[in-house]
Amino acid sequence: MELLVSLGIGLMTAVGVYLMLRRRTFPVVLGLAMLSYAVNTFIFASGRLISGAPPVLMKDVTTYTDPLPQALVLTAIVISFGMTAVVVLLSLGAFLSAETDAIDIEKPDAREGAAAADRAG
Amino acid sequence: MSLALIAALPFLGALLPGVMIRAGRNACATVTGSVTALALLGILLHAPAVMRGEVVTARFEWIPALGLNATFMLDGLGLLFSLLILGIGLLIITYARFYLAKSDPMGQFYTYLLLFQGAMVGIVLSDNVLLLLIFWELTSLSSFLLIGYWRHLPEGRQGARMALAVTGMGGLAMIGGMLILGNIAGSYDLSVILTQGDAIRADPLYLPALILILLGAFTKSAQFPFHFWLPHAMAAPTPVSAYLHSATMVKAGLFLMARLWPVLSGTDAWFWLVGGAGLITMVLGAVIALFKDDLKALLAFSTVSHLGLITMLLGLGTEFGAVAAVFHIINHATFKAALFMTAGIVDHEAHTRDIRRLGGLRALMPVTFVIAAIGSLSMAGIPAFNGFLSKEMMLEAAWDTGTGFAVLATLGALFSVGYSLRYLVHTFLGPVRDDYPHTPHDPGPGLWLPPAFLAVLVVVIGLVPQAAVGGFVKVVAGAVTLGEPTVYLKLWHGLVPALYMSIAAVVGGAILLALHGGLSRAWDAAPRPEAKAIFDALVDACARAARGLSDGLHDGAVSRYLAIMTAAVLAYGFWAWSGGEHTPGLRIATPLSPVPVIFAALLAVASLALVALHRRRFVALVVISIVGLVVSMAFVHFSAPDLALTQLTVEVVTIILLLLALNYLPKATPVETTAARRLLDGAIALGAGIGVAALTWAFLSRDRALPAISDYHLANSYEGGGGNNVVNVILVDFRGFDTMGEIIVLGIAALVIFALVDGLLRGPASRWLANRVPDMPQAGDRHPLMMVVATRIALPIALAVAVFIFLRGHNEPGGGFIAGLVAAIALLMQYMASGFAWSESRQHFDYHGVIALGVAIAVLTGVASLLLGWNFLTSTNEYVTVWPLSKVHLASAIAFDLGVFLTVVGSVMLALASLSRIGRRAGEGVNLTPMDIDPEAPGRAGKEPH
């Protein structure tokens, strides 16, 4: 089972990185979401995998799972949502302002920006 | 008054001028002066003890682990410099009040001046070299502000930049030197370092430390070859020049050399580096000064020359040299500050500082003339003025050192006489002219009293040196040499070699002045390197190189940075892994069961499908939500019900958000990369995946190296936290502080989204949106009847579920986070089904307020426990029965959880409401009726006019 989880996390990471390396904002946002899944699962797995051992105190139960990574990941999931929301709104804003959703700035623009900065200085 | 307070006074006082300027320029200057006077008083109160040979100290442990303590000490040397800094500072503040024009922002000037003063006082009072370095850098920064005070002048800005670059670089080098020194001595406290002289001089790192420290001192004190910045700093207002370049900034380097004299001097390296640089600077500065026509430039180069003189005296490494150096520091400060102020008066009254346009001012400005005469004769080294005495001592010291030194020192003195006399003769003597830019006359006492005071000191010290400052020089020189130097200052030394050298210098100087016209033409015709051009070329080359490097690395291609970063992390990880030993993990794996395998297969298919289909964005969204679902199933399987619930609800919210955003984004991703590039990206991604999988496998196949702290949480959850759901208790109790930070971050994220959209709707994107034509076929029925009815029935149920999940959270899976998400989904459904406008007009609270309320409740819960005398966020619990509910176990942490709940609801809703604003700008009309199907006109239920 451990091997399966490891492979799953690896697969999600690989897909996340691949999408992150695309040239448009939307696949990058999806890639970041995939990476969030992978990282959250990774942190969760650091508590080791155990089935049928609740993190809730109950009568007649002696084996409990590790609750600490769960608490950490719970907030991480919510924060990932916040991050995804900000990033997607950023990319939407960039698209509406620049009328393209390419993430790479064309080189001439960069040079022009530097030249403008020089003139200002 | 504590030394720390004295050092802090100018910094605290720097807050005042900006406020007081509103009460007028006099009030501003008076307050500034009072601050300095108070600090001066503090120093003077310590003076008797220092004169008795005691060392006054004040000590605070600041960062003891780094050896960084706020320790201050006041010995003879510190006393001399703090008197110069504060005393002359007081005169400069008075002078500046009358010097600055009405249009100059005086509050700013005094603020900068006090900042600078504080930094200087800090340097001379520091007993810790790290603290000293901080103040040292502060002088560079504050002098930058002062030199560039007239920011409308390009020379002012350039001069300030040059001064900052040169002294800043020197300071950087000095940090290295000081750290080496502290390492050798085993302490960063000066009082300890000063006792380690022999060990430091014998250390192999002595020479590097010496060179680095001297770089700092030489750049600050404008020693050759770093002398060039000082004349360019003359673009500053004259009070600044008088302050920085007579008594303070440039003397900081001298102070440092004097301070470290006991540990660094006495070696050949010290002698040749310090003595040599001082000698060259002295002669070179004097020669250039002779040919400067600008009064301030002349004084600037004369300052360079005199700093060289003092440096040379320190470089000799003899006790007599140290005494002479100390004495000349006093003398130079008095006559040079007075001279700068007279130059300022001339500039102020005649509207020019060009010697060629001046002359004959004696009759027009008699008071100024007398002061300038005393100052320049002292600078020339004429008997009866204090400059003569220390110059004689300098010549004597040079004579004792060797013939070469004696000849060059005499030459320096000769040129010194030349330019000093030129300052006096060509400006004040001769016939009165009729072509001054402005007819000059003596200024009011506000401008001439400060230099006059100094001129009196010049004469008094010159006539009765031993009575005036003999004891003081002895104490100061004793602090430099850590000994008991013999000091006897007198006017007449007898017919010693120094006297003949002095006579030769005066006669030669007078001849130089007589020949000045011809010499000046020859000088102007001779080729010589222009320091500013070289410096500018150097800086330009550096800037070009830096830009080339940053342009090369930072070309705007984000995908490239990401690829490089990922590849670098991969390579680094691989390098670290391949360098260690590897043994297989021994932890027994849990057996496979069929259901997880099915879900894993689903995950694999969905992930690969996502890669294959990512260009079709809607499809990609559907596929990625499958991945999210599998992840939440994994949480279910591995005993994490809270996580599964959270993942599921977050998944819903995220997908809705992405769907709404996608509405305004292109619906497909074009193919832009070559197959080879995609292959490379794929290889990087595969590497990352393999790395993470291997890492996960590595720790899953082993047990923990250290015992986890989770057992504590399990054991104390019920007793201490009053809850059975350990995950929730950790969130709201054990690690409540973390959670508080997290909800604040979430709230900030929502506000960022709001601000982003707000900015967007004010910009050009707004027009674009208003004219946007939908790029996809629109549904004929915007608000389907079925959905509207279903969501309205579901709303109370969903909200009840949220309340239920919230209340049970402390004991069973649930809690504020999940309840908040469920409530948000309940509201979202209304938005989706009935339209933004319709829903918004029916809810009456502001989401900003909800977020604020949530955070406030969470914080107040913590504060309440503080008020009860417990630690922040301590909770208590009780069983209560609220009719009609069953018995509820209420912990005070539930209030905290309520804060979490509200923040989550507010943040999610604010993000979506922001998106809805974009939608409305893009022309989505307001539906006035709940369902916009008009039975009268079938098929016309499209967009309504708005």
Side-chain angles (χ1 to χ4, degrees):
Chain A
M1 195 73 94
E2 273 78 2
L3 191 62
L4 203 63
V5 171
S6 306
L7 289 176
I9 294 174
L11 181 63
M12 287 191 285
T13 310
V15 172
V17 169
Y18 182 77
L19 291 180
M20 199 178 74
L21 296 178
R22 298 304 87 211
R23 303 296 190 273
R24 298 286 169 148
T25 51
F26 199 77
V28 173
V29 173
L30 292 186
L32 289 175
M34 281 300 276
L35 277 181
S36 303
Y37 293 142
V39 171
N40 289 340
T41 322
F42 178 84
I43 298 172
F44 168 73
S46 72
R48 302 302 184 274
L49 305 175
I50 180 164
S51 292
V56 179
L57 302 177
M58 289 179 192
K59 279 180 191 153
D60 310 325
V61 176
T62 49
T63 318
Y64 292 101
T65 181
D66 188 344
L68 193 57
Q70 294 197 15
L72 299 181
V73 170
L74 199 151
T75 50
I77 293 173
V78 180
I79 294 285
S80 316
F81 161 72
M83 185 203 70
T84 309
V86 171
V87 173
V88 81
L89 257 294
L90 265 180
S91 54
L92 180 56
F95 173 67
L96 293 181
S97 314
E99 292 174 30
T100 169
D101 64 343
I103 60 168
D104 294 351
I105 302 169
E106 297 284 325
K107 265 195 171 177
D109 285 356
R111 227 173 278 135
E112 230 170 68
D118 284 356
R119 280 195 297 277
Chain B
M1 199 186 297
S2 163
L3 292 178
L5 182 61
I6 295 173
L9 256 179
F11 287 113
L12 297 175
L15 300 171
L16 295 175
V19 179
M20 290 310 292
I21 190 66
R22 293 171 194 207
R25 291 150 68 86
N26 282 329
C28 185
T30 311
V31 165
T32 313
S34 314
V35 171
T36 306
L38 199 61
L40 186 61
L41 183 72
I43 291 288
L44 285 174
L45 290 177
H46 287 303
V50 176
M51 292 300 286
R52 283 195 302 273
E54 296 169 24
V55 176
V56 184
T57 57
R59 184 179 182 87
F60 303 96
E61 302 284 324
W62 185 13
I63 312 176
L66 291 180
L68 180 53
N69 302 316
T71 52
F72 296 90
M73 73 164 177
L74 182 70
D75 62 354
L77 190 64
L79 179 65
L80 166 65
F81 274 90
S82 46
L83 287 180
L84 285 179
I85 294 160
L86 295 168
I88 294 186
L90 202 54
L91 298 178
I92 294 291
I93 289 168
T94 316
Y95 180 84
R97 157 66 189 89
F98 300 97
Y99 183 86
L100 290 180
K102 279 208 166 60
S103 54
D104 294 325
M106 187 179 272
Q108 248 174 49
F109 181 84
Y110 281 133
T111 300
Y112 297 163
L113 197 75
L114 283 179
L115 284 178
F116 176 77
Q117 193 174 66
M120 281 304 302
V121 172
I123 289 182
V124 301
L125 294 186
S126 295
D127 182 23
N128 184 292
V129 287
L130 300 178
L131 191 65
L132 188 149
L133 286 171
I134 293 172
F135 285 120
W136 186 275
E137 296 298 330
L138 279 178
T139 60
S140 294
L141 290 176
S142 50
S143 66
F144 171 78
L145 294 172
L146 280 173
I147 296 169
Y149 173 70
W150 278 333
R151 61 189 71 157
H152 55 279
L153 297 180
E155 303 86 44
R157 298 198 300 268
Q158 287 161 12
R161 265 211 303 267
M162 189 191 271
L164 183 68
V166 175
T167 58
M169 293 290 236
L172 212 58
M174 204 175 85
I175 291 176
M178 287 297 199
L179 291 180
I180 298 177
L181 210 58
N183 260 345
I184 301 173
S187 165
Y188 290 113
D189 282 348
L190 265 173
S191 39
V192 178
I193 293 176
L194 290 183
T195 60
Q196 304 281 317
D198 292 328
I200 289 169
R201 278 187 296 269
D203 199 274
L205 285 176
Y206 164 75
L207 194 61
L210 177 69
I211 291 174
L212 288 173
I213 290 174
L214 286 183
L215 274 176
F218 282 5
T219 48
K220 204 73 153 185
S221 281
Q223 293 302 296
F224 179 84
F226 307 111
H227 59 284
F228 55 89
W229 70 264
L230 199 149
H232 288 287
M234 287 297 144
T238 303
V240 174
S241 311
Y243 195 36
L244 264 59
H245 304 137
S246 68
T248 53
M249 166 116 157
V250 295
K251 293 267 166 74
L254 299 181
F255 168 81
L256 195 78
M257 287 188 267
R259 181 45 95 209
L260 296 174
W261 195 87
V263 289
L264 294 180
S265 76
T267 61
D268 281 351
W270 170 272
F271 175 81
W272 287 112
L273 284 174
V274 180
L279 197 61
I280 295 173
T281 313
M282 177 169 99
V283 178
L284 194 71
V287 173
I288 300 176
L290 184 63
F291 298 108
K292 287 291 168 188
D293 293 319
D294 179 0
L295 286 178
K296 276 176 75 179
L298 186 154
L299 290 177
F301 277 103
S302 90
T303 302
V304 170
S305 168
H306 278 270
L307 293 169
L309 187 160
I310 301 169
T311 304
M312 182 201 79
L313 286 172
L314 289 170
L316 296 180
T318 59
E319 187 186 274
F320 182 71
V323 172
V326 166
F327 191 33
H328 197 68
I329 287 173
I330 300 174
N331 296 340
H332 178 250
T334 49
F335 69 68
K336 187 52 65 65
L339 281 175
F340 266 119
M341 287 194 240
T342 57
I345 292 174
V346 170
D347 191 15
H348 199 257
E349 298 299 326
H351 292 194
T352 182
R353 304 194 305 247
D354 192 332
I355 294 180
R356 288 166 302 185
R357 302 195 60 186
L358 294 167
L361 294 183
R362 179 176 61 96
L364 298 169
M365 315 171 76
V367 178
T368 313
F369 167 67
V370 171
I371 300 166
I374 293 172
S376 51
L377 290 178
S378 177
M379 181 157 77
I382 306 296
F385 303 106
N386 61 2
F388 169 73
L389 301 163
S390 44
K391 190 196 64 179
E392 287 279 293
M393 290 169 79
M394 180 274 288
L395 291 173
E396 191 180 331
W399 176 263
D400 292 344
T401 309
T403 321
F405 264 72
V407 171
L408 284 173
T410 313
L411 194 65
L414 190 149
F415 276 94
S416 178
V417 172
Y419 66 70
S420 301
L421 293 181
R422 176 151 192 258
Y423 181 86
L424 185 64
V425 174
H426 286 187
T427 312
F428 289 95
L429 301 184
V432 174
R433 297 167 65 150
D434 51 11
D435 62 343
Y436 303 116
H438 183 264
T439 312
H441 52 79
D442 267 327
L447 280 182
W448 64 256
L449 264 179
F453 175 78
L454 292 170
V456 170
L457 284 183
V458 168
V459 176
V460 171
I461 298 174
L463 289 177
V464 283
Q466 185 60 25
V469 292
F472 186 46
V473 169
K474 187 177 165 71
V475 170
V476 177
V480 174
T481 59
L482 294 184
E484 285 272 327
T486 41
V487 175
Y488 189 65
L489 311 172
K490 56 183 174 182
L491 205 50
W492 176 249
H493 286 259
L495 294 173
V496 288
L499 185 66
Y500 296 116
M501 290 156 78
S502 201
I503 291 170
V506 172
V507 174
I511 295 170
L512 272 184
L513 186 65
L515 300 175
H516 183 266
L519 285 176
S520 180
R521 276 188 293 279
W523 173 264
D524 287 341
R528 54 183 185 278
E530 174 55 49
K532 184 171 189 304
I534 298 170
F535 176 82
D536 284 348
L538 211 63
V539 169
D540 277 354
C542 288
R544 262 200 311 279
R547 186 169 308 131
L549 187 68
S550 63
D551 275 0
L553 289 176
H554 199 104
D555 62 352
V558 180
S559 54
R560 201 168 66 109
Y561 311 156
L562 289 173
I564 291 173
M565 251 155 58
T566 316
V569 170
L570 254 179
Y572 193 66
F574 184 78
W575 175 74
W577 176 77
S578 58
E581 282 175 26
H582 187 75
T583 48
L586 299 172
R587 190 169 183 269
I588 299 151
T590 32
L592 273 179
S593 46
V595 180
V597 174
I598 295 170
F599 274 106
L602 192 59
L603 175 75
V605 171
S607 299
L608 296 175
L610 182 59
V611 172
L613 301 173
H614 79 270
R615 295 186 192 287
R616 295 162 64 188
R617 294 181 173 179
F618 277 114
V619 180
L621 266 184
V622 175
V623 176
I624 200 173
S625 64
I626 297 176
V627 177
L629 289 177
V630 173
V631 169
S632 54
M633 285 304 117
F635 289 144
V636 171
H637 185 78
F638 295 115
S639 328
D642 288 276
L643 288 192
L645 280 170
T646 314
Q647 181 68 57
L648 205 62
T649 43
V650 162
E651 198 58 39
V652 173
V653 181
T654 311
I655 297 296
I656 291 176
L657 186 85
L658 288 173
L659 268 175
L660 286 174
L662 191 52
N663 193 20
Y664 306 102
L665 285 168
K667 307 298 177 289
T669 307
V671 181
E672 287 173 307
T673 44
T674 58
R677 184 60 210 245
R678 286 199 294 279
L679 209 63
L680 180 66
D681 289 348
I684 294 174
L686 201 65
I690 291 172
V692 171
L695 184 62
T696 316
W697 171 245
F699 71 67
L700 284 183
S701 59
R702 284 169 180 77
D703 279 314
R704 285 199 182 84
L706 299 167
I709 55 171
S710 307
D711 290 341
Y712 170 86
H713 294 138
L714 286 167
N716 288 286
S717 173
Y718 187 75
E719 294 294 318
N724 285 323
N725 181 0
V726 187
V727 174
N728 184 264
V729 173
I730 291 175
L731 282 176
V732 300
D733 195 334
F734 291 129
R735 306 203 61 84
F737 205 50
D738 287 0
T739 310
M740 199 175 89
E742 263 143 351
I743 60 171
I744 290 173
V745 170
L746 193 65
I748 291 173
L751 292 179
V752 166
I753 289 173
F754 176 79
L756 267 174
V757 171
D758 208 49
L760 207 60
L761 292 183
R762 286 168 205 276
S766 174
R767 276 191 306 281
W768 189 84
L769 269 175
N771 297 322
R772 177 176 174 273
V773 181
D775 56 356
M776 286 197 24
Q778 302 288 292
D781 187 0
R782 285 197 306 162
H783 306 294
L785 180 65
M786 294 282 283
M787 218 171 135
V788 172
V789 174
T791 52
R792 268 171 226 173
I793 294 172
L795 178 66
I797 302 172
L799 288 178
V801 169
V803 173
F804 173 68
I805 288 179
F806 176 76
L807 286 176
R808 80 202 281 260
H810 215 47
N811 287 314
E812 284 170 76
F817 276 113
I818 301 165
L821 287 162
V822 171
I825 292 172
L827 295 173
L828 269 181
M829 291 193 303
Q830 308 307 311
Y831 274 71
M832 302 269 291
S834 306
F836 297 129
W838 188 88
S839 314
E840 217 149 79
S841 63
R842 273 156 188 80
Q843 63 95 11
H844 303 289
F845 37 84
D846 175 29
Y847 295 124
H848 296 85
V850 177
I851 296 174
L853 187 67
V855 173
I857 288 177
V859 173
L860 284 177
T861 321
V863 173
S865 51
L866 269 187
L867 290 179
L868 291 171
W870 300 325
N871 281 331
F872 192 63
L873 283 172
T874 308
S875 78
T876 178
N877 58 82
E878 200 65 53
Y879 282 95
V880 289
T881 310
V882 185
W883 188 89
L885 303 176
S886 59
K887 192 173 75 170
V888 179
H889 185 186
L890 266 188
S892 68
I894 202 166
F896 183 80
D897 221 9
L898 181 66
V900 173
F901 171 81
L902 289 174
T903 313
V904 171
V905 175
S907 301
V908 174
M909 294 313 291
L910 185 60
L912 287 146
S914 302
L915 261 174
S916 83
R917 291 177 66 199
I918 294 183
R920 282 208 247 156
R921 184 58 58 101
E924 277 175 30
V926 180
N927 46 326
L928 301 169
T929 51
M931 285 158 256
D932 50 11
I933 288 176
D934 184 358
E936 302 292 312
R940 287 190 56 202
K943 227 171 174 184
E944 286 174 25
H946 56 282

